[in-house]
Amino acid sequence: MRNRFVRSRPWSIVLGLGLGLTAAGALANDGLMQMAKDPNQWVMPTGNYTAQRYSALDQITTDNVKDLHVAWTMSSGSLRGHEGQPLVVGNMLYFESSYPNHVYAVSLDDPGRIVWSFTPDQNKFAPSVACCDVVNRGPAYADGMIFANALDGNLYALDAKTGKVVWKAKNADPMIGQTQTMAPIVIKDKVITGVSGAEYGVHGYVTANDIKTGKQLWRAYSTGPDDQLMFNPKKTIDGATQKPVGKDSSLKSWQGDQWKLGGGTTWGWYTYDPKLNLLYYGTGNPGTWNPTQRPGDNKYSMSVIARNPDTGEAKWVFQMTPHDGWDYDGVNESILTDTKIDGRTVPTLTHFDRNGFAYVWDRSNGKLLAAHKFDPVVNWATGIDMKTGRPMVDPAKMTREGVNVKDICPSSQGSKDQQPASYDPNTGLFYVPTNHVCMDYQAFNVKYKAGFPYVGALVNMYPANHGDVGGRFIAFDAATGDTKWAINDRFQDWSGVLTTKGGLAFYGTLTGWFRAVDLKTGKVLWQFKCPSGIIGNPITYTHNGKQYVAILSGVGGWAAIGLSNNLTKATEGLGAVGATATLGDYTNLGGTLMVFALN
């Protein structure tokens, strides 16, 4: 590894209340929670435990954002997709590039000066089993340490002042298709991460490591017997039925030992409620994209799970897409808000799923409160049955072996993939970057071999209605299902979103435009063409009393896999290449940190 050291110093539901992180100290990392309350910093990948990605900073407003300009920039040293975001802790900015996963500490007192950098020695086989580009979603911070996942499965704890390795823990093995692309979350004395690789038959799990030593404290799987799932058959609640899941609820939904290749990987975003002491995350697609080969509901792929982070035991689970036949991974972020229901405040969790439906749950028990389409072209299901929680699938859009099922909406990339939405407590709306893309899907029989693709489907993606709109940036009411306004974009909107008290939403496009949008009207008030397309997530902070907005530019990810991997056949890149065939006419590769401020 390389280090560079420099001395440094369906009721009437109203979504409108931001979740306060004022839970009593013993329930969470007090220092980190207190820091997360300070809008002048950005100390967690998601901003704070709620994943609202909202900032109370208001120096930059709808009136003056037209004067925003580049304050400083820095190359990441990597050409592949940058799906993460920087952290700002005190007078330091930290960020991680895509593979080879350079980690940087940059001085804000002397912008652009690299105080230290770290590049891990990695298993060179790892990039070959990264299904959808060698992305990384950013580091985490706590207790004077930076926690960074490397693609090859190692989690590093780095001294935040020097970059020195405090410890490392191996949580994945690329030789059997496992990789790590997600951002860690720190809860109390634990660093919690997941695993990627369902397209290689990986058996998904989350791992909790001790923050001081890296020792594995628990590991909970997504599929299989109760002890591996860390489910209590008498206490773990099925959110859909509000009853205990019962003994071996996952095993009964698989044929034979198929659960061992069951997928359910956990490469998305993690959130945490200190009052309830629950960790929330989603699980991905079941092993093999061919549903004919794996009869049953294939639990608990395609699910949101709530766990006690102290013990790992699951409190509740809700499966969004049983017996998935479309690759509608459930890993997207779960945003925590407080919601008015019949005059009563309920702690809720809102999740914009790949399958095109926005779910609102009571996050204490997983009870479904609302479920609405957030892209009008969704046609694989007509709706969600509020009594059972199950999608009402259109049989004509159910995929099966040997049949090319056409015009399924959304595509396997979903109406939204991992690109995180934002919630603005002032408008009570969610601001959501979406994919407006459909597909043809032909499943075929596939055999498993460790470390080799285990997909079993030929997919071709294209903009909805074969038109020229591939993405929509929307303002959405998750309670009513109303879209207040939408901005149409040529390609998928794969960037995350930041909302601010200044009345603005910031997001980027695959073509490289970084935009500031009026939250109330959707009017684009300012935009800047970055060196490369944007799939990263904006943040904001202040330094010496001045507000800055930062974004990682660097096209790639599944949306731009054709450009990043030089693929040209429409069905390559798991079918993604066709949807962005002309993206190279608008942008090029290259990772750059962009920082903006007012004059």
Side-chain angles (χ1 to χ4, degrees):
M1 60 193 70
R2 300 195 305 271
N3 279 76
R4 194 166 98 215
F5 300 97
V6 180
R7 294 197 181 192
S8 69
R9 24 149 279 140
W11 297 262
S12 171
I13 302 176
V14 180
L15 293 164
L17 300 177
L19 176 72
L21 288 177
T22 56
L27 289 181
N29 182 318
D30 284 342
L32 188 60
M33 287 178 63
Q34 289 300 319
M35 294 172 71
K37 292 179 184 179
D38 178 7
N40 299 297
Q41 304 184 89
W42 194 276
V43 299
M44 297 185 194
T46 53
N48 57 37
Y49 284 133
T50 69
Q52 291 181 11
R53 293 184 183 264
Y54 166 80
S55 171
L57 296 181
D58 60 1
Q59 190 179 106
I60 302 171
T61 69
T62 53
D63 292 330
N64 62 23
V65 71
K66 64 182 183 299
D67 298 322
L68 210 60
H69 70 282
V70 175
W72 58 278
T73 67
M74 176 181 157
S75 170
S76 74
S78 175
L79 292 178
R80 301 294 285 274
H82 287 63
E83 278 186 349
Q85 59 287 302
L87 300 177
V88 172
V89 182
N91 67 340
M92 298 295 293
L93 181 147
Y94 303 92
F95 73 98
E96 183 172 0
S97 77
S98 54
Y99 184 86
N101 302 121
H102 306 300
V103 182
Y104 298 101
V106 184
S107 171
L108 295 178
D109 295 327
D110 185 8
R113 182 171 72 88
I114 301 172
V115 176
W116 57 257
S117 66
F118 168 80
T119 303
D121 287 333
Q122 297 203 51
N123 185 327
K124 301 303 187 290
F125 185 71
S128 68
V129 292
C131 90
C132 310
D133 202 9
V134 289
V135 296
N136 181 276
R137 297 183 187 90
Y141 169 85
D143 286 0
M145 288 180 283
I146 295 294
F147 301 95
N149 276 322
L151 187 69
D152 73 348
N154 283 302
L155 169 64
Y156 290 87
L158 308 172
D159 186 291
K161 291 183 178 179
T162 66
K164 181 180 179 181
V165 176
V166 179
W167 54 258
K168 75 172 182 176
K170 187 170 181 59
N171 286 332
D173 181 3
M175 302 310 293
I176 56 173
Q178 298 172 342
T179 52
Q180 285 187 155
T181 58
M182 71 298 301
I185 187 171
V186 178
I187 301 174
K188 306 182 189 180
D189 60 345
K190 298 175 181 67
V191 188
I192 298 173
T193 60
V195 68
S196 309
E199 280 66 44
Y200 291 82
V202 166
H203 187 197
Y205 53 83
V206 290
T207 304
N209 297 99
D210 184 274
I211 193 174
K212 298 295 185 184
T213 66
K215 178 183 177 182
Q216 182 178 311
L217 299 177
W218 54 259
R219 175 170 287 173
Y221 286 82
S222 303
T223 65
D226 293 334
D227 59 340
Q228 290 193 30
L229 269 65
M230 301 186 77
F231 276 25
N232 183 324
K234 296 181 179 180
K235 293 184 178 180
T236 301
I237 298 298
D238 182 328
T241 66
Q242 289 296 290
K243 296 178 180 178
V245 293
K247 182 177 174 57
D248 291 332
S249 55
S250 175
L251 287 181
K252 292 174 182 177
S253 69
W254 293 87
Q255 188 174 74
D257 288 341
Q258 288 183 337
W259 60 269
K260 294 181 179 179
L261 311 176
T265 50
T266 50
W267 51 272
W269 301 96
Y270 299 71
T271 46
Y272 172 62
D273 184 329
K275 288 184 178 180
L276 296 173
N277 195 30
L278 290 177
L279 161 75
Y280 305 95
Y281 67 95
T283 66
N285 61 284
T288 179
W289 288 21
N290 178 2
T292 305
Q293 284 188 247
R294 43 172 175 76
D297 280 355
N298 308 138
K299 296 177 179 178
Y300 286 96
S301 65
M302 308 310 221
S303 303
V304 165
I305 301 176
R307 294 188 184 276
N308 181 326
D310 299 330
T311 64
E313 183 172 294
K315 174 72 178 295
W316 61 262
V317 61
F318 190 106
Q319 187 177 42
M320 288 79 68
T321 312
H323 188 57
D324 167 65
W326 309 270
D327 186 46
Y328 291 156
D329 289 40
V331 301
N332 294 353
E333 75 286 351
S334 295
I335 303 172
L336 280 53
T337 62
D338 290 340
T339 304
K340 285 283 190 181
I341 302 176
D342 290 340
R344 184 171 58 94
T345 300
V346 176
T348 51
L349 181 158
T350 301
H351 171 91
F352 292 86
D353 197 65
R354 279 256 285 267
N355 69 17
F357 291 89
Y359 294 80
V360 181
W361 292 287
D362 182 327
R363 67 174 179 269
S364 67
N365 56 21
K367 183 177 181 180
L368 183 62
L369 304 177
H372 299 285
K373 294 180 182 181
F374 60 96
D375 186 352
V377 301
V378 171
N379 66 12
W380 72 278
T382 57
I384 305 298
D385 186 317
M386 293 300 294
K387 292 182 178 180
T388 66
R390 298 179 72 92
M392 295 177 280
V393 177
D394 180 348
K397 302 302 180 184
M398 182 66 214
T399 66
R400 53 201 180 276
E401 187 174 311
V403 178
N404 188 15
V405 183
K406 296 189 175 184
D407 295 313
I408 304 170
C409 303
S411 76
S412 294
Q413 291 183 347
S415 294
K416 190 181 85 64
D417 201 343
Q418 61 76 39
Q419 62 268 39
S422 177
Y423 173 74
D424 182 82
N426 303 298
T427 63
L429 299 175
F430 292 85
Y431 295 85
V432 191
T434 74
N435 310 322
H436 195 58
V437 176
C438 303
M439 67 177 173
D440 301 339
Y441 189 115
Q442 183 170 351
F444 59 85
N445 189 276
V446 64
K447 303 297 183 183
Y448 173 77
K449 184 177 181 180
F452 286 80
Y454 186 57
V455 179
L458 190 67
V459 179
N460 184 21
M461 302 181 194
Y462 40 81
N465 302 314
H466 298 273
D468 57 3
V469 176
R472 300 166 73 242
F473 180 55
I474 64 174
F476 190 79
D477 186 323
T480 65
D482 294 334
T483 298
K484 301 299 183 180
W485 51 255
I487 299 171
N488 291 337
D489 288 310
R490 182 179 296 272
F491 302 107
Q492 302 95 306
D493 286 323
W494 210 266
S495 155
V497 182
L498 166 73
T499 55
T500 72
K501 191 178 178 181
L504 297 165
F506 291 90
Y507 84 106
T509 72
L510 278 183
T511 55
W513 288 104
F514 185 46
R515 291 175 173 160
V517 177
D518 188 307
L519 287 174
K520 294 180 180 179
T521 67
K523 182 179 179 180
V524 178
L525 302 177
W526 169 90
Q527 61 181 355
F528 180 89
K529 186 69 161 65
C530 292
S532 181
I534 300 171
I535 62 172
N537 313 309
I539 70 158
T540 189
Y541 65 94
T542 67
H543 185 66
N544 291 334
K546 191 171 188 176
Q547 183 181 356
Y548 295 83
V549 178
I551 184 76
L552 286 168
S553 163
V555 77
W558 193 12
I561 194 74
L563 184 58
S564 65
N565 284 35
N566 196 28
L567 305 175
T568 57
K569 188 177 179 181
T571 55
E572 291 182 305
L574 299 175
V577 174
T580 53
T582 62
L583 182 59
D585 294 342
Y586 299 90
T587 192
N588 208 342
L589 306 180
T592 307
L593 172 67
M594 307 289 299
V595 183
F596 300 87
L598 295 174
N599 291 323

